Amino acid sequence: MKIAFICHDANLTGAPKVGFEIARCFSRNNEVIMITKKDGSLLSTPEYRSAFYRVLNSNTSHEVSRFKLPERISIAKEIMQREKPDLLYVNSVASSDWCAAGKECNIPVVLHSHEMKNELLSLESIKIFERDLPRYVDLLVTVSGDAERDIIEQCSLPFKKILSLKEGINFQKVWELSRAGDFVQPKNIFKQPMETNRPTISMCGVASKRKGSDIFFQTAKQLGQFNFLWIGPWDRGEAPWNIALDEYHGSPIDNFYTTNETNNPYPYFKLTDLFVLTSREDPNPLVVMEAIFLSRLCLGFSNTGGSKELLNRFGILLHGDITVDRLTSIVKKIYNAPMREFISEERKQLFVREYDIESIAKTIEMEISSLVKKPITPA
Amino acid sequence: MKTLFKYFRNLFSNFVQRLILSKNRSKHGRLIKQYGLFDNDWYVSQFPASVDFNNDPLKHFLRQGILEDKSPHPLFDLRWYRNYYKLKKFTNPLLHFAASTGRFHRKPNAFLDTRWYAENYLKSSDLKAYEILNHYYVTGEKINNRPCEDFDPEFYRGTYAGVGDFKYGLLAHYLDHGRVEKKLPFDPHGKEFHPLCISLQQVNIDHVTVDETLSPYFDSSEKLRSFFFSCLSLPEDIPLRFIPGNYARYNSDLKIFENNPLEAIRHFLLHGSKENRIYRDFNKDEYTNSFYSIWRNINKTELLHHRPNVKTCVLVHIFYPELYPEIKTYLDNLSGFTYDIFFNLVENNWTPQLHNLVRSDFPDARIIVSKNIGRDIGGFFNLLSYIRNIQSYNAFLLIHSKKSPHISEELSSKWRNDLLESTIGSREVVLQNMYLLEDHNTGLVGAALWRHRGVEKNYEKYRYMLKVLDISAKNSHCDYLSGTIMWVNARVVDYLYSRCNKLELEDGNDRSLEFHMDGQYAHTIERIFGNICQQLSLKMIFR
């Protein structure tokens, strides 16, 4: 089967990262044409380049081009008429303009939704997501109960078929990358390296309001007895939507460290004692899975979204609002009585079995094979 | 000078009030007749034959009888009413009574609890108090409806010869004769009593005598009379089943009365009755009929090999971590059965150790940590938000670390243990309950000892919730399990949660003990489970 696999981005962030991994798994039995709407580091990764039948960049992302919706659909149609795939796999609603094109070309369309309500609304405001989307979709794959609820609520029509799954990661890869010894030491605003005699609390992502960078920074201000480490872009150039920057520069603190942009965040997870997810919205952040896999104690809030299903079984889940006060109070309690060996080896094995990207991809592959007449044959 | 002024002021005030009363006399007479609150024969029977009523006993009542506390109706005890509701001399008690509705239903005598009667037999909350009185007087007693928990017409008629011939009915007989003749209004078999309370309740306040039981406490009839005077009460205000020792033990602030029954009674009359304090043990036999009537027909041998087919979800709310080991012991009785389990731990008392302990005891549990909002109901609601399809289960088992700081530790533990014993007290109990829940018409299974029927301080919220939940009038009487540790049909949970999940429950932090006792949404929702069962035509099994 020939699958056109669409990703809205090719950077090392959540949905594209999962998309590339799923596509890699599909490529064992299928011809996968990877089409991204924007350039990024994943496109040049040799492992992926060798796995895919073809790699294309349509350059139609709203972040890099000014194409209107009909033009974007027309470009998509043109590519599909040329490539003639048997199935169109649209990874994330951020690429959902491709769904209409797929339908016009009479190709079965699978939409893999990673987004939650606010993201859907913002995609709607830039005319990428439309409420009649289910018209074009033959199968909806969702990454969590919350993500499924949100997209159903935001659409005006019901979806024909829904497959509810979890997000998954490539554990082997995470394990290998985490062992890298050559990584840049995190520094605080005074360019000092991290104190080694304090417990370290970390969070990972591109600093922004959505990721709760302000909550993380405020908590650091209140808990001077701990190191706080932001893994990922923090400074103005790399994270332009970081709402904590003014305070970071205005009233600097010495227990707050950043790594800024990094290709390999996993060694930093190893410096961590407690991973906290401060995101205001995140359908199913991979970082939580990665942190749990690396045996870090994880803490998050239910209002964030999908990670709650993970945290209520393998971490600590605070039900409800995301606030500095709640975070501060729980962190203090944790360190008054350290939770050693929070995840036993047995539970970790269970976790790996459930969240392995290979098995998740296999489930999707079985489901999509019923959408096309052609049987799956090794590429 | 001041005293003289006061004297004249009172004289003037009395004169004015008497004038107003006499001016409204004919209007009042019309209303009293309309409400059916005056019985000519009854009224006349209270006077010697020589008294001339001028062919109009009602007028006589309004001019004179009302001021002498003569009863206008066999079931309206005017003296008791005036004293109980602390009415001023010139207030017309009949109109005061007739004006009461809803939760403000007043009682016409110590034994006709209009609110209780309406909740149990009339299933309508919109009736006026006088309509309820008339229902009991005309119809209810004849079909053996009880006017309150403590008067059993069937027993009274069957036990005391001749009482059934009393023209005005059994309750009127008891009020007028039976009580002071030391007759009991219900079957005493298997019930606990305190002799002092029985003797005090049967005192005739017009002819006070000190009997053998009372003599250790009162050396003269004058002292006995002044006891009632100091309590601002009449003898019939003492519940026959008042146990002073339990009253002192079950109310943590009253320990000092443990060996002083008389003071315990005085406290109850002055304060406890208004505060709805617990004063007696519950008799299991009275409550368990509903379970055993079902249970005796079940083939027990068959049950031994039965594998229950009830997809169960267990919701556990832990506010008091110190009670977790006890709850865990009970939850162990679920081993061998298939179920999903969710824990809600409360932030205030959360510790990593507790989290780890729960995780190691229940590796597959889903655990969340929440704010202290909405008490146990808030905890259950939090957990339900993680269940995508409530009706994918057949039954929910609701468990929480129940403590009641407003009552003594002894009663609080008893309450919790009674509830837990009846739900998951042993593997056999679990099997029995699951067996009962296999019947899709079972709505709820819980401890009979804690079945309750009072709305109490929750009236406004209760009415509001009935509306929100579309509970019809015929299903709106209050009957529920007090304590919310029980098995519930998933349909009931779904019905409740789908309509109420946006409800803003109260924050329990930094609030007074009084706040926690009653009046929150959690207390209302606890009651509403019973109404939902009624609405969905599901039976409640109390065991």
Side-chain angles (χ1 to χ4, degrees):
Chain A
M1 177 167 52
K2 199 183 221 182
I3 302 171
F5 200 105
I6 319 299
C7 279
H8 73 283
D9 199 344
N11 278 315
L12 257 175
T13 51
K17 206 156 94 175
V18 177
F20 270 72
E21 277 300 319
I22 290 174
R24 185 183 57 80
C25 298
F26 285 174
S27 70
R28 292 212 188 99
N29 297 321
N30 304 281
E31 282 179 2
V32 174
I33 305 162
M34 173 57 74
I35 304 165
T36 64
K37 291 173 73 179
K38 193 181 149 189
D39 201 5
S41 58
L42 288 168
L43 279 179
S44 51
T45 309
E47 182 196 352
Y48 294 132
R49 287 200 79 88
S50 62
F52 302 144
Y53 177 72
R54 204 191 309 281
V55 176
L56 297 170
N57 173 14
S58 70
N59 259 326
T60 51
S61 166
H62 66 280
E63 290 170 20
V64 294
S65 72
R66 299 239 166 219
F67 290 120
K68 296 217 167 85
L69 181 66
E71 291 166 313
R72 289 202 303 266
I73 293 176
S74 159
I75 294 170
K77 265 170 71 179
E78 202 180 293
I79 294 175
M80 275 186 287
Q81 277 158 0
R82 194 176 65 228
E83 299 294 335
K84 294 191 175 31
D86 301 309
L87 181 121
L88 177 67
Y89 196 100
V90 179
N91 183 57
S92 92
V93 181
S95 307
S96 62
D97 40 1
W98 278 72
C99 296
K103 212 69 224 162
E104 283 187 29
C105 296
N106 211 16
I107 300 169
V109 177
V110 178
L111 172 66
H112 194 146
S113 169
H114 302 256
E115 286 83 351
M116 288 179 72
K117 192 178 172 184
N118 287 342
E119 259 179 301
L120 291 173
L121 290 174
S122 86
L123 288 169
E124 190 185 18
S125 70
I126 51 170
K127 300 225 171 342
I128 288 176
F129 163 66
E130 293 192 323
R131 286 177 187 252
D132 63 349
L133 180 62
R135 278 171 55 198
Y136 313 117
V137 177
D138 296 290
L139 172 69
L140 171 74
V141 180
T142 56
V143 295
S144 69
D146 282 17
E148 182 180 325
R149 181 203 59 213
D150 283 3
I151 192 163
I152 289 173
E153 273 179 17
Q154 296 306 312
C155 285
S156 55
L157 297 166
F159 284 94
K160 288 184 196 110
K161 204 171 179 191
I162 299 174
L163 179 63
S164 290
L165 288 174
K166 295 165 179 165
E167 205 78 275
I169 55 170
N170 183 340
F171 290 111
Q172 183 63 30
K173 199 164 154 187
V174 172
W175 174 245
E176 280 164 14
L177 288 170
S178 71
R179 296 167 70 189
D182 53 336
F183 59 91
V184 181
Q185 287 299 324
K187 300 261 167 58
N188 65 12
I189 197 166
F190 308 108
K191 305 288 173 211
Q192 294 160 332
M194 247 181 11
E195 286 265 356
T196 50
N197 56 355
R198 292 193 295 218
T200 301
I201 296 161
S202 69
M203 162 67 189
C204 179
V206 181
S208 63
K209 184 177 179 183
R210 188 171 75 83
K211 291 280 178 188
S213 57
D214 52 332
I215 295 168
F216 192 72
F217 186 74
Q218 288 288 342
T219 311
K221 276 183 89 171
Q222 300 211 9
L223 298 172
Q225 65 272 42
F226 302 108
N227 291 329
F228 278 76
L229 170 63
W230 186 275
I231 306 168
W234 177 269
D235 289 339
R236 203 173 299 278
E238 295 176 351
W241 299 284
N242 182 4
I243 58 166
L245 271 180
D246 287 347
E247 204 172 353
Y248 174 70
H249 290 290
S251 51
I253 48 174
D254 66 356
N255 64 326
F256 192 84
Y257 303 86
T258 60
T259 67
N260 273 313
E261 176 95 59
T262 169
N263 282 332
N264 180 12
Y266 306 115
Y268 298 105
F269 280 65
K270 291 216 147 183
L271 301 176
T272 299
D273 296 289
L274 170 70
F275 183 86
V276 294
L277 183 73
T278 50
S279 300
R280 290 187 166 88
E281 186 180 293
D282 230 331
N284 211 349
L286 303 180
V287 282
V288 175
M289 272 183 261
E290 290 158 352
I292 291 173
F293 174 67
L294 295 171
S295 299
R296 303 302 106 169
L297 173 57
C298 285
L299 170 70
F301 295 84
S302 67
N303 281 8
T304 298
S307 57
K308 64 188 186 184
E309 301 290 342
L310 192 66
L311 288 168
N312 68 20
R313 295 176 62 207
F314 300 100
I316 299 171
L317 178 67
L318 298 186
H319 179 83
D321 315 339
I322 304 152
T323 65
V324 175
D325 287 349
R326 293 185 80 193
L327 190 54
T328 309
S329 134
I330 289 284
V331 168
K332 275 186 195 163
K333 283 188 177 186
I334 289 173
Y335 282 96
N336 283 341
M339 297 175 80
R340 289 197 179 85
E341 290 187 25
F342 188 75
I343 304 173
S344 65
E345 202 44 47
E346 199 185 354
R347 283 197 66 69
K348 203 164 132 183
Q349 290 306 320
L350 173 74
F351 165 76
V352 168
R353 273 199 305 276
E354 283 189 29
Y355 291 91
D356 180 25
I357 193 76
E358 297 272 351
S359 59
I360 289 169
K362 208 170 275 174
T363 311
I364 301 173
E365 200 176 339
M366 278 173 66
E367 200 64 40
I368 59 176
S369 66
S370 64
L371 296 176
V372 284
K373 284 165 196 148
K374 240 185 210 178
I376 297 173
T377 45
Chain B
M1 191 66 184
K2 238 180 186 174
T3 325
L4 206 64
F5 172 73
K6 224 174 176 178
Y7 172 76
F8 281 113
R9 195 184 62 184
N10 282 346
L11 209 64
F12 180 70
S13 155
N14 282 355
F15 172 75
V16 169
Q17 292 209 31
R18 204 180 270 263
L19 203 68
I20 293 169
L21 208 62
S22 67
K23 223 179 153 194
N24 290 329
R25 209 169 281 148
S26 61
K27 186 181 157 198
H28 287 183
R30 228 179 21 255
L31 287 173
I32 288 165
K33 231 181 202 167
Q34 189 188 322
Y35 299 149
L37 290 176
F38 190 80
D39 185 315
N40 274 348
D41 292 353
W42 168 262
Y43 181 71
V44 170
S45 72
Q46 294 173 87
F47 295 89
S50 56
V51 176
D52 179 14
F53 294 98
N54 218 357
N55 285 333
D56 195 349
L58 178 56
K59 203 171 178 181
H60 182 274
F61 168 72
L62 289 167
R63 289 173 71 96
Q64 191 180 327
I66 196 168
L67 301 172
E68 292 168 5
D69 284 345
K70 295 288 182 197
S71 287
H73 186 283
L75 297 187
F76 200 97
D77 187 342
L78 204 120
R79 177 169 59 177
W80 177 86
Y81 190 89
R82 204 186 280 286
N83 181 68
Y84 191 78
Y85 293 107
K86 310 284 176 264
L87 297 190
K88 286 181 183 162
K89 197 177 173 187
F90 294 105
T91 305
N92 187 325
L94 292 175
L95 298 180
H96 181 260
F97 170 73
S100 68
T101 53
R103 77 162 166 150
F104 302 109
H105 276 160
R106 297 178 186 121
K107 304 194 284 185
N109 62 62
F111 283 82
L112 177 48
D113 186 339
T114 44
R115 203 168 83 185
W116 187 90
Y117 185 80
E119 279 171 4
N120 283 281
Y121 300 110
L122 304 180
K123 302 195 172 179
S124 166
S125 51
D126 301 326
L127 292 174
K128 297 260 197 300
Y130 66 85
E131 290 173 315
I132 298 167
L133 181 149
N134 286 326
H135 184 276
Y136 175 77
Y137 188 54
V138 177
T139 325
E141 191 173 275
K142 292 186 181 72
I143 54 171
N144 292 325
N145 285 352
R146 291 175 174 226
C148 65
E149 246 186 310
D150 281 351
F151 189 87
D152 180 354
E154 204 178 351
F155 168 83
Y156 195 68
R157 185 189 295 111
T159 310
Y160 303 109
V163 297
D165 302 333
F166 191 63
K167 189 181 164 189
Y168 302 101
L170 299 165
L171 181 58
H173 181 276
Y174 178 73
L175 295 171
D176 207 40
H177 307 283
R179 184 180 62 80
V180 291
E181 285 167 10
K182 304 197 184 304
K183 291 183 167 62
L184 280 177
F186 55 81
D187 186 0
H189 178 73
K191 296 182 178 75
E192 201 185 344
F193 297 100
H194 193 284
L196 173 64
C197 298
I198 301 283
S199 291
L200 280 173
Q201 196 267 357
Q202 293 172 339
V203 163
N204 182 350
I205 202 79
D206 297 322
H207 305 284
V208 177
T209 50
V210 177
D211 65 13
E212 267 177 33
T213 319
L214 297 174
S215 57
Y217 302 96
F218 305 99
D219 51 18
S220 70
S221 52
E222 218 26 68
K223 287 219 167 128
L224 178 52
R225 198 197 304 273
S226 68
F227 168 76
F228 284 110
F229 186 73
S230 69
C231 297
L232 310 172
S233 300
L234 289 167
E236 49 267 51
D237 290 328
I238 299 173
L240 279 165
R241 295 169 72 185
F242 187 86
I243 310 292
N246 285 350
Y247 184 65
R249 266 207 315 281
Y250 291 162
N251 296 284
S252 47
D253 53 334
L254 304 180
K255 285 255 187 262
I256 42 164
F257 300 136
E258 203 156 18
N259 298 315
N260 193 343
L262 199 62
E263 283 313 303
I265 295 169
R266 191 197 302 276
H267 184 276
F268 177 78
L269 291 173
L270 283 169
H271 312 289
S273 63
K274 290 179 203 80
E275 292 162 8
N276 279 325
R277 289 189 184 240
I278 293 171
Y279 57 78
R280 69 172 163 97
D281 250 335
F282 297 97
N283 181 354
K284 205 167 179 175
D285 291 344
E286 287 175 64
Y287 294 88
T288 47
N289 289 337
S290 100
F291 171 66
Y292 286 105
S293 62
I294 296 168
W295 197 242
R296 66 168 168 250
N297 297 320
I298 290 171
N299 182 342
K300 314 292 188 300
T301 326
E302 195 182 287
L303 189 67
L304 280 177
H305 308 288
H306 185 67
R307 290 277 163 275
N309 185 21
V310 179
K311 199 171 174 219
T312 302
C313 180
V314 185
L315 305 183
V316 189
H317 168 80
I318 304 284
F319 181 80
Y320 297 106
E322 65 274 23
L323 292 179
Y324 172 71
E326 184 186 316
I327 286 173
K328 157 79 172 61
T329 312
Y330 277 105
L331 287 172
D332 284 345
N333 292 325
L334 289 167
S335 66
F337 297 99
T338 313
Y339 62 93
D340 290 335
I341 188 162
F342 292 71
F343 279 85
N344 181 63
L345 312 179
V346 180
E347 234 166 83
N348 308 41
N349 303 325
W350 180 86
T351 60
Q353 293 93 329
L354 174 70
H355 204 112
N356 262 347
L357 191 61
V358 177
R359 173 63 63 221
S360 71
D361 289 339
F362 298 94
D364 295 324
R366 265 123 171 119
I367 306 172
I368 63 166
V369 184
S370 76
K371 289 188 198 169
N372 179 26
I373 290 177
R375 305 169 63 84
D376 51 315
I377 297 292
F380 296 143
F381 273 27
N382 291 341
L383 293 173
L384 286 169
S385 71
Y386 294 82
I387 298 171
R388 290 175 69 188
N389 180 5
I390 289 176
Q391 290 210 43
S392 64
Y393 292 102
N394 301 115
F396 280 79
L397 171 59
L398 309 182
I399 303 286
H400 63 106
S401 59
K402 182 168 180 50
K403 257 194 192 182
S404 312
H406 59 287
I407 53 174
S408 71
E409 217 175 306
E410 188 184 337
L411 182 62
S412 167
S413 309
K414 178 180 155 39
W415 192 351
R416 184 175 62 251
N417 288 328
D418 286 344
L419 295 169
L420 286 164
E421 285 292 330
S422 301
T423 44
I424 46 172
S426 65
R427 281 185 52 75
E428 196 194 359
V429 169
V430 174
L431 188 62
Q432 288 171 352
N433 289 339
M434 283 193 167
Y435 188 86
L436 293 169
L437 283 152
E438 276 183 342
D439 176 357
H440 299 305
N441 294 317
T442 301
L444 172 162
V445 185
L449 290 172
W450 296 95
R451 183 179 187 172
H452 191 49
R453 291 193 172 97
V455 177
E456 280 127 25
K457 285 183 191 166
N458 309 288
Y459 185 80
E460 271 91 19
K461 284 179 179 163
Y462 185 70
R463 307 263 31 121
Y464 170 71
M465 289 299 296
L466 290 176
K467 214 168 154 187
V468 168
L469 292 165
D470 290 326
I471 304 286
S472 61
K474 75 177 172 66
N475 296 320
S476 63
H477 80 280
C478 186
D479 187 0
Y480 72 103
L481 180 92
S482 180
T484 332
I485 292 180
M486 58 192 176
W487 291 83
V488 195
N489 187 317
R491 282 169 61 202
V492 176
V493 177
D494 195 24
Y495 189 98
L496 173 70
Y497 184 70
S498 60
R499 288 162 175 82
C500 301
N501 61 59
K502 299 273 187 311
L503 195 70
E504 273 196 31
L505 302 172
E506 294 88 348
D507 191 332
N509 290 323
D510 307 322
R511 308 302 287 259
S512 66
L513 187 60
E514 203 190 350
F515 171 83
H516 286 287
M517 276 168 69
D518 221 348
Q520 296 180 44
Y521 271 117
H523 297 108
T524 293
I525 291 171
E526 174 182 35
R527 285 161 169 83
I528 289 289
F529 277 104
N531 297 98
I532 298 174
C533 288
Q534 294 169 47
Q535 183 73 14
L536 299 176
S537 305
L538 301 174
K539 55 179 183 266
M540 294 192 275
I541 300 176
F542 293 101
R543 50 172 301 173

